[in-house]
Amino acid sequence: MNAESSVISEPLIVGCWQLDNRSWKYLSETEVERTLDTYLAWGVTHFDTADIYGRSEKLLGRLLKGRDCTILTKAVLFGNIPTANQVRSKIENSLRNLQRETLDLVQIHWQNPQLDFTSTLEIFAQLVEQGKIRQLGVTNFNTPMLKKAIQFAPITTNQVQYSLIDRRVENSMQSLCLEKEIMLLTYGPLVGGFLADKFRGVKSPPPENEHARGFYYSSVIMRHGGWSPVQEMLNALAQVARKYELTIAQVALNWVKNQPGVGAVISGLTLERGQIQSNIEALQANIDSADLQFLSEKSADLFKQEGDIYSYERG
Ligand SMILES: NC(=O)c1ccc[n+]([C@@H]2O[C@H](COP(=O)([O-])OP(=O)(O)OC[C@H]3O[C@@H](n4cnc5c(N)ncnc54)[C@H](OP(=O)(O)O)[C@@H]3O)[C@@H](O)[C@H]2O)c1
């Protein structure tokens, strides 16, 4: 699918996992409403959620009702192969939560690659034909899974983890997506916020129970080489950031957006207006390709990139 016909038309997508108060600090509805208004007022109209992000879908449905925006959700499939009714009722549930007649983009997460997803994808393809879903995507599909999936359903996007620390997407997924015109939507561009000025010079990652940094991205860092290379990466990012009067986080976001095949960068919802503005400006900044290349080479020297998409996460 080419970029003109995609439902994704902006470089920044707001990640709404942060509205799941089982994994994240509780945010009041007033705070969330004010923050969504800020994003919309500043021209950011794409939001990413999932059927498994607790109250996130329902809250977005209520607060974004009637607003001109695009909501990406996910159909997360753990366990056995679902029946057709189970798939349909999952989609009906998301339609109810989001208070929509049609879902803009449904991204399928299939946990167990040993199970055959063919019949399930065919049901999703029917739901597109029936107008329940505008476009279909996948998330965390590895290369063999995606090669197979596109034979059975019109897949337009793959949502994957991508940052200067985790570049497994480059092993084989990126070239497949470029060849098949499948847009990469990238999560974790700041490695949960570790790629930011406030972590430069910090001796070890702090324990944080209510933040994905503490329970998700710390283990990503261990898998790719540990805390000491992260500090070297932060120094390299700071060097480029100084040159352009940007922050480390801005350069890290800009680097991901400039990688081949990346259609949009997903950055987690933040209440801080300064961070919202900074993330919007990050994607408008012009950083010379030589400086982006310098960061790519630094990252290639510092971090291991073994395996395909979502390899260690599946266990
Ligand atoms: N498909 C999947 O399996 C999957 C997995 C994970 C995430 N996701 C999606 O991707 C979204 C984004 O990923 P993520 O939030 O995990 O990772 P991320 O974007 O790398 O990190 C977000 C964190 O970075 C910090 N931050 C944001 N802007 C900043 C700035 N300008 N300067 C400094 N720090 C900044 C904030 O933390 P502090 O302000 O607290 O420091 C924020 O919570 C999620 O909400 C979700 O929608 C999908």
Side-chain angles (χ1 to χ4, degrees), residues 14-18 24 48-49 53 74 109 139-140 159 186-196 198-199 211-213 216-217 247 249-250 253 266-270 272 274-276 278-279 310:
V14 184
C16 295
W17 180 22
Q18 276 75 359
W24 294 84
D48 177 70
T49 184
Y53 289 174
K74 306 185 192 80
H109 173 104
T139 177
N140 301 319
Q159 183 180 138
T186 54
Y187 67 82
L190 301 180
V191 198
F194 278 126
L195 294 184
K198 70 179 172 192
F199 286 103
H211 201 296
R213 267 199 300 266
Y216 188 85
Y217 293 107
T247 65
Q250 286 181 309
L253 276 179
I266 308 173
S267 183
L269 177 135
T270 166
E272 284 185 41
Q275 284 195 345
I276 298 174
S278 160
N279 294 346
Y310 211 69

Side-chain angles (χ1 to χ4, degrees), residues 17-244:
W17 180 22
Q18 276 75 359
L19 302 184
D20 182 352
N21 53 300
R22 299 164 309 168
S23 304
W24 294 84
K25 196 171 129 230
Y26 179 79
L27 305 176
S28 74
E29 196 157 328
T30 316
E31 286 175 307
V32 176
E33 185 168 21
R34 201 176 47 224
T35 304
L36 294 177
D37 283 346
T38 303
Y39 279 110
L40 291 170
W42 290 349
V44 179
T45 68
H46 288 18
F47 301 90
D48 177 70
T49 184
D51 57 349
I52 58 158
Y53 289 174
R55 63 179 185 147
S56 179
E57 270 191 349
K58 274 193 179 147
L59 207 49
L60 289 176
R62 226 174 18 251
L63 299 177
L64 294 175
K65 191 169 183 194
R67 311 294 292 268
D68 187 12
C69 62
T70 300
I71 306 181
L72 296 56
T73 193
K74 306 185 192 80
V76 177
L77 295 158
F78 292 119
N80 289 329
I81 299 171
T83 63
N85 278 344
Q86 284 169 330
V87 173
R88 287 195 196 101
S89 77
K90 216 175 205 343
I91 293 307
E92 289 302 335
N93 205 35
S94 289
L95 283 165
R96 246 190 326 273
N97 287 343
L98 290 168
Q99 306 197 34
R100 294 280 184 106
E101 304 277 310
T102 305
L103 298 172
D104 294 323
L105 179 75
V106 173
Q107 306 158 99
I108 304 158
H109 173 104
W110 187 265
Q111 182 67 14
N112 183 352
Q114 311 311 324
L115 294 178
D116 185 7
F117 51 66
T118 311
S119 60
T120 307
L121 285 195
E122 285 170 343
I123 299 160
F124 278 105
Q126 285 164 15
L127 288 163
V128 173
E129 279 164 27
Q130 290 160 9
K132 299 276 183 187
I133 299 172
R134 272 171 78 195
Q135 284 175 13
L136 269 185
V138 290
T139 177
N140 301 319
F141 270 43
N142 62 28
T143 313
M145 288 168 78
L146 185 59
K147 274 187 184 156
K148 182 173 165 188
I150 54 182
Q151 296 170 40
F152 300 97
I155 306 297
T156 62
T157 57
N158 190 8
Q159 183 180 138
V160 299
Q161 187 173 177
Y162 198 4
S163 67
L164 277 158
I165 294 178
D166 181 356
R167 294 171 63 186
R168 287 170 293 169
V169 63
E170 294 173 15
N171 291 344
S172 54
M173 178 58 72
Q174 197 166 42
S175 56
L176 175 65
C177 287
L178 285 168
E179 184 196 328
K180 303 292 180 192
E181 295 192 338
I182 294 169
M183 204 182 256
L184 289 167
L185 306 180
T186 54
Y187 67 82
L190 301 180
V191 198
F194 278 126
L195 294 184
D197 288 273
K198 70 179 172 192
F199 286 103
R200 189 162 168 237
V202 170
K203 292 238 164 349
S204 59
E208 294 176 283
N209 295 334
E210 291 176 330
H211 201 296
R213 267 199 300 266
F215 61 84
Y216 188 85
Y217 293 107
S218 299
S219 69
V220 169
I221 285 175
M222 294 323 291
R223 288 285 185 161
H224 290 266
W227 189 243
S228 151
V230 170
Q231 287 302 320
E232 285 191 55
M233 193 71 240
L234 288 172
N235 289 338
L237 279 160
Q239 200 179 312
V240 176
R242 251 193 321 272
K243 182 169 166 187
Y244 294 90

Side-chain angles (χ1 to χ4, degrees), residues 243-292:
K243 182 169 166 187
Y244 294 90
E245 297 186 0
L246 296 170
T247 65
I248 285 180
Q250 286 181 309
V251 177
L253 276 179
N254 188 288
W255 180 89
V256 176
K257 180 62 189 79
N258 275 298
Q259 298 312 302
V262 174
V265 177
I266 308 173
S267 183
L269 177 135
T270 166
L271 298 188
E272 284 185 41
R273 288 166 69 86
Q275 284 195 345
I276 298 174
Q277 190 178 3
S278 160
N279 294 346
I280 295 168
E281 287 170 2
L283 299 180
Q284 294 162 351
N286 279 319
I287 301 180
D288 282 352
S289 54
D291 290 317
L292 295 174

